[in-house]
Amino acid sequence: MINNMNDEKGKILLATLAGIGVGVAAGILLAPNNGLDTRDSLKRTLSKAGDDLERTVKNFMDKLERNKVTDDGSSLVMRGSWDDVKGQLKKNYAELTEDDLTYVEGQEDELWGRLQQKLGKTKNEIMKVIRDL
């Protein structure tokens, strides 16, 4: 049953992405505006679509966590780049240093460990802080 739910949600997400792509292509082909106006409009549309997609993925992952399909806090969706997140964390938690926030791909557990030790929070609490930035 859970696999069927995941398959259905995956199909819905794929259909949404396909619909966005078709809509963007149709908009470009049928655009009555000049190039600059069309690019600006397209940029706004894609930005909104990206925000909508991020919200959809976050809601989907939250639902999986609530239904105990995945562990609590198993997903992390960040807004902005890691540098943006680091800057905000340093601003909110003055005790964090550049070394504390060094991210190396494949060594995420070390980063979580440093943050847990420095902030006295659990991994799930830290993930929530980062998601809420």
Side-chain angles (χ1 to χ4, degrees), residues 60-113:
F60 178 68
M61 294 304 296
D62 288 346
K63 185 177 282 189
L64 290 177
E65 289 177 16
R66 279 194 309 275
N67 291 328
K68 303 297 183 197
V69 175
T70 61
D71 294 333
D72 289 340
S74 64
S75 65
L76 176 61
V77 178
M78 291 187 309
R79 290 173 197 80
S81 70
W82 178 241
D83 288 335
D84 295 336
V85 172
K86 268 190 346 186
Q88 192 62 45
L89 285 171
K90 285 165 107 178
K91 183 177 174 185
N92 293 351
Y93 301 95
E95 65 271 26
L96 292 176
T97 65
E98 190 69 28
D99 288 339
D100 294 330
L101 295 168
T102 299
Y103 170 76
V104 177
E105 190 170 341
Q107 298 179 0
E108 293 84 4
D109 288 339
E110 283 97 14
L111 171 64
W112 295 124

Side-chain angles (χ1 to χ4, degrees), residues 6 11 21 23 33 43 46 57 60 75 92 102 120 122 130-131:
N6 289 339
K11 289 177 185 177
N33 298 332
K43 184 178 177 183
L46 289 176
V57 170
F60 178 68
S75 65
N92 293 351
T102 299
T122 66
I130 292 173
R131 271 195 302 258

Side-chain angles (χ1 to χ4, degrees), residues 4 18 30 40 44 51-53 56 72 83-84 86 88 95 98-99 105 108 117 124 128 133:
N4 287 341
L30 302 173
D40 287 343
R44 284 190 304 274
D51 292 344
D52 291 345
L53 180 61
T56 300
D72 289 340
D83 288 335
D84 295 336
K86 268 190 346 186
Q88 192 62 45
E95 65 271 26
E98 190 69 28
D99 288 339
E105 190 170 341
E108 293 84 4
Q117 184 177 21
N124 290 346
K128 182 175 178 356
L133 289 177

Side-chain angles (χ1 to χ4, degrees), residues 13 16 20 45-59:
L13 185 59
T16 301
I20 290 170
T45 300
L46 289 176
S47 178
K48 182 182 180 318
D51 292 344
D52 291 345
L53 180 61
E54 181 180 337
R55 228 180 348 270
T56 300
V57 170
K58 183 180 181 327
N59 289 339

